[in-house]
Amino acid sequence: MKWLNRRKVEDERIVNMKNKIYKEAYLLIVSICMISVIVKSFTLSDWTSSLPEIAIILAGSLYAGIRIVLLGIYSDEVEVHDSSSKIKFNTRIMLWGIGSGIFLALFFGIRSAILFGDGSLTTGLRYFFLVSLISLLIYIPLFAGVLVLSHQLANKASQKISRKDQLDS
């Protein structure tokens, strides 16, 4: 970050270690926020109590994603992944969208069965299957489509910025 704009020579090994620590801290914070959202959703019926955690997760993720695209790193990362992996990055993104949709559908199904099942097994199962099925129909296409579309747009923008940086040098 160039906010303080200090021109100081630093050891690359130390900078890389600091970056690893920052990455681990960010993942820890996101994990704690996700656990908090999940626990609050089962214990409290009001979802607005989870807004600060959701805002932290979204703000951090959006900042990191936009910054990576604007630096032109995203397209390079996709290129390196595609050359070293059996699964293309597009396929990986689509699988993440499908997996996220399935996870969210099961989460909502389990939550509905627990909160609204009235303690009987048949009512709980009926709520679970009904909510899970409807959620699958909604969230799998939504998540897969949004993730693939955002990946395509981010990759195109990152390639454009990367080409511009190569021409400027």
Side-chain angles (χ1 to χ4, degrees), residues 40-155:
K40 283 182 180 180
S41 71
F42 277 109
T43 58
L44 305 171
S45 61
D46 185 22
W47 66 273
T48 57
S49 64
S50 298
L51 284 179
E53 290 92 343
I54 293 170
I56 290 169
I57 294 168
L58 288 177
S61 300
L62 281 174
Y63 175 78
I66 290 170
R67 191 92 167 112
I68 287 171
V69 169
L70 291 179
L71 290 173
I73 298 170
Y74 188 79
S75 60
D76 296 338
E77 186 179 332
V78 170
E79 190 175 314
V80 168
H81 178 273
D82 285 349
S83 67
S84 65
S85 178
K86 293 179 183 178
I87 299 174
K88 295 285 185 194
F89 205 79
N90 279 343
T91 308
R92 181 178 165 205
I93 292 291
M94 177 137 353
L95 291 175
W96 269 102
I98 292 169
S100 299
I102 291 171
F103 173 77
L104 199 59
L106 291 175
F107 173 76
F108 284 146
I110 292 169
R111 184 178 183 273
S112 295
I114 290 172
L115 292 179
F116 308 116
D118 297 334
S120 70
L121 182 63
T122 56
T123 307
L125 286 174
R126 189 171 69 217
Y127 278 136
F128 171 76
F129 285 117
L130 184 65
V131 170
S132 294
L133 179 66
I134 298 300
S135 296
L136 282 172
L137 293 174
I138 294 170
Y139 290 118
I140 286 180
L142 178 71
F143 283 177
V146 166
L147 285 177
V148 168
L149 181 66
S150 63
H151 162 67
Q152 294 294 334
L153 294 173
N155 196 24

